[in-house]
Amino acid sequence: MTFEDMIVYDIDDVFFKEFAEIHTYNGQKARAVIDDESMMRKYSEEFSILPNGSHMVIVPEEDLAFCPIPSDAVKFDRNVYTVNELKKEHGIVVLFLERGRI
């Protein structure tokens, strides 16, 4: 097993088991970690005020029935969001969901 393989294994086996909660993504259950503090740091210079309820969501790619693209409308839990940005790496999808823009 390579070092990269070990990291990917640990992400799923440790990170998501310890920090993820079950959320609903487009009607399906998915493990997700909501990290709004990182989103605030990322966008603090770009936007003086972020829309209330916007989130950075980290989810295993295997938990998504399909992977969205930026500007897609998605339903996360009970609210509709626009995918502002998305990053995929090592089976992890990081979604920047913006509420109030469709």
Side-chain angles (χ1 to χ4, degrees):
M1 183 182 290
T2 67
F3 181 67
E4 186 173 316
D5 292 336
M6 289 187 284
I7 290 172
V8 172
Y9 177 80
D10 281 347
I11 288 171
D12 191 52
D13 199 45
V14 176
F15 180 73
F16 284 110
K17 283 185 180 172
E18 290 294 321
F19 300 107
E21 295 177 347
I22 301 298
H23 292 270
T24 304
Y25 179 84
N26 283 340
Q28 296 187 331
K29 295 199 183 295
R31 296 171 290 163
V33 176
I34 298 174
D35 188 0
D36 294 339
E37 289 181 25
S38 291
M39 184 179 77
M40 294 300 275
R41 283 193 300 273
K42 177 178 176 48
Y43 288 114
S44 63
E45 292 180 17
E46 190 174 340
F47 300 108
S48 58
I49 299 175
L50 287 167
N52 188 24
S54 296
H55 300 292
M56 182 177 105
V57 179
I58 306 163
V59 63
E61 191 170 10
E62 67 186 28
D63 285 14
L64 301 177
F66 72 94
C67 195
I69 59 172
S71 78
D72 274 357
V74 299
K75 189 170 185 181
F76 184 72
D77 290 335
R78 295 185 177 141
N79 298 302
V80 177
Y81 297 87
T82 300
V83 177
N84 187 359
E85 187 178 337
L86 128 128
K87 296 179 182 180
K88 291 189 330 182
E89 188 172 11
H90 302 296
I92 304 297
V93 179
V94 180
L95 299 164
F96 293 90
L97 303 178
E98 185 176 342
R99 189 158 174 209
R101 192 192 101 192
I102 299 212

